[in-house]
Amino acid sequence: MKKRSWLWVFLFISVIVLLGTLATGWNLVLVRDHLNLLELAEKLPKPPVPRRGPWLSLILGSVGFLMVILGLVLFFVKVLREMKLNQAQSEFIASMSHELKTPIATIELCSSLLRLGATPAESQTLWTSYDSELRRLKEQVDTLLEAARWQAHDDRLQPEKIQLENWLNSALGRWKTILGPDAQIRRRGDRLDGTTVIDPRALDLISDNLVDNAKKFSRGTTRLTVESQLDRKKWRLRFTDEGWGFHPQDSEKIFKRFKRGKSVAPYSVPGTGLGLFLAASASKASGLKLTGVSNGLELGATFTIEGRLK
C-alpha cells in the first residue's frame, strides 16, 4: 500500500510539474508575441493604434490552469481514499476469514469425535468446546449484522429513562463475564445518582465493546478500571486498561470501520476492527461523546463515555 501511495504521489507531482511548465510556456509565448508586435509597430511610418495586451488571455489561462490543478487534486485524493478503503477491506476479509475459520474447524472436529464415540468425560469436554465455539461464531455473526445495521443508520433507538447507578451495578457483573474469571476489574469514583434518557441496549453495546476491547488488547492478565464521575449536568464513565495501547495520533482513526490501532501485528489479536466502530456509531446516535486516548504502545488506553443528566 505504501509503495502504491508513493507511486501515485510521484505521478501527481509529475503531472503538476508538466502542466505548470506548459502553462508558464504558454504565458511566455503570449507575452513574447505581444512584445514583438509592439516592436514591429514602432518601426512603421504611421504606427497603428496599439492593441491591448494579452492580459485577458493570461488571466484566463492561469485560471484554467488552477482549475485543472484543483480537479487533479480532488481526483488523486479520491484515488488514495479508495486505495486505503480497499486495503482496509482486504485486511478485514482476511481477519474475518481467520475468525470464522477457527470456530468452524473446532466445531467440525468436535462433531467428528462425538460421532466416532467417546467416553462420558470426553463427551462432556467436547460438548463444552462445541458450545463455546458456537457462541463465539454467533458473536462474530452478530457483530457483522450490527455493523451493517449501524452503517445503514437503521438504529431504531427506543430511549427510556434509566437510573445510572442501577445500570452500572448490573453492568459490572456482565463485564466480569466478558473479561473472564482471571481478569481484574475495579470501580472507583462517584456514585452515579442521576438519571438519563437513552436506549439501554445502545448503552450496553457501547460499554460491552469497550470492555471487550480491553480484553482483546490486554498483555497477560486483563486489568480494567472503571471510573465514574458525576457533576450537576453531565456524567462520565472512563474505562482504563493496562494493555497494548496505541499511537496517540490514532485516537480518532480507531473508531472508523476496519481500523485497528498500530499496537500489534494485524492478525495477532482476534477481532474484526468493528467493535469500536459500533461503539462510536451507537454513541453518536444516542447523543453521547466517546473518546479514546493512549500515551503510546504498551502504556494502556482510556476510553471515556460522556452524557447529559436528564
Side-chain angles (χ1 to χ4, degrees):
M1 175 62 188
K2 290 183 178 180
K3 291 184 178 179
R4 290 185 179 181
S5 298
W6 280 112
L7 287 175
W8 279 103
V9 171
F10 175 76
L11 178 60
F12 173 73
I13 294 175
S14 301
V15 172
I16 295 298
V17 171
L18 177 61
L19 290 176
T21 303
L22 292 175
T24 303
W26 171 255
N27 289 339
L28 289 176
V29 168
L30 290 177
V31 173
R32 186 193 63 188
D33 290 346
H34 179 68
L35 294 176
N36 289 336
L37 288 175
L38 291 179
E39 184 179 351
L40 181 62
E42 291 177 356
K43 296 178 180 180
L44 297 177
K46 185 179 179 181
V49 179
R51 295 174 56 190
R52 290 182 297 177
W55 312 122
L56 181 60
S57 298
L58 291 174
I59 293 174
L60 292 178
S62 300
V63 171
F65 170 70
L66 293 176
M67 295 296 291
V68 171
I69 295 299
L70 179 60
L72 286 173
V73 169
L74 295 177
F75 171 74
F76 278 99
V77 168
K78 181 67 174 178
V79 168
L80 291 177
R81 285 181 179 176
E82 289 297 325
M83 291 176 62
K84 290 181 179 179
L85 179 59
N86 289 335
Q87 182 194 24
Q89 289 175 339
S90 298
E91 292 179 355
F92 166 73
I93 292 173
S95 176
M96 199 66 231
S97 299
H98 175 75
E99 288 293 306
L100 294 177
K101 184 177 180 179
T102 302
I104 290 175
T106 304
I107 291 173
E108 288 180 342
L109 178 61
C110 291
S111 299
S112 299
L113 293 175
L114 287 170
R115 186 168 57 252
L116 293 174
T119 64
E122 292 174 339
S123 297
Q124 182 61 39
T125 302
L126 290 172
W127 276 115
T128 301
S129 179
Y130 186 97
D131 184 64
S132 174
E133 294 299 328
L134 192 60
R135 284 201 306 270
R136 178 181 171 186
L137 184 61
K138 181 179 180 300
E139 289 174 359
Q140 298 293 348
V141 174
D142 288 343
T143 299
L144 292 174
L145 294 176
E146 283 288 336
R149 185 167 68 89
W150 286 102
Q151 180 64 20
H153 305 290
D154 186 20
D155 32 39
R156 293 193 180 93
L157 295 177
Q158 299 177 2
E160 60 183 73
K161 180 176 283 190
I162 64 171
Q163 171 56 246
L164 288 169
E165 183 66 22
N166 293 340
W167 170 83
L168 181 55
N169 289 330
S170 63
L172 284 170
R174 187 175 68 254
W175 297 339
K176 291 179 182 178
T177 302
I178 294 175
L179 293 175
D182 298 329
Q184 300 176 13
I185 181 172
R186 63 173 179 170
R187 180 198 170 180
R188 67 183 185 184
D190 305 330
R191 281 180 55 87
L192 295 182
D193 291 327
T195 60
T196 190
V197 177
I198 194 173
D199 189 333
R201 297 174 304 168
L203 193 53
D204 290 344
L205 173 67
I206 299 166
S207 59
D208 289 357
N209 275 289
L210 296 182
V211 172
D212 185 61
N213 188 76
K215 176 184 177 182
K216 289 177 180 177
F217 290 92
S218 62
R219 297 181 296 132
T221 301
T222 304
R223 295 179 176 86
L224 179 66
T225 299
V226 181
E227 181 181 3
S228 52
Q229 184 179 359
L230 186 71
D231 59 30
R232 289 181 297 178
K233 295 183 179 180
K234 295 182 179 180
W235 60 272
R236 297 178 187 87
L237 275 180
R238 292 189 178 92
F239 297 80
T240 303
D241 62 61
E242 300 177 9
W244 285 99
F246 51 85
H247 291 297
Q249 60 266 30
D250 291 339
S251 59
E252 295 184 2
K253 184 186 300 182
I254 56 176
F255 292 108
K256 297 181 179 180
R257 278 188 309 163
F258 314 133
K259 295 294 184 180
R260 306 182 72 180
K262 298 178 182 178
S263 57
V264 290
Y267 307 119
S268 62
V269 173
T272 60
L274 293 174
L276 293 180
F277 164 73
L278 288 174
S281 299
S283 298
K284 183 177 180 180
S286 302
L288 302 177
K289 181 180 179 181
L290 176 62
T291 56
V293 296
S294 176
N295 291 326
L297 301 184
E298 300 187 22
L299 296 178
T302 298
F303 292 89
T304 304
I305 307 173
E306 180 179 303
R308 290 187 173 275
L309 295 172
K310 296 180 180 179

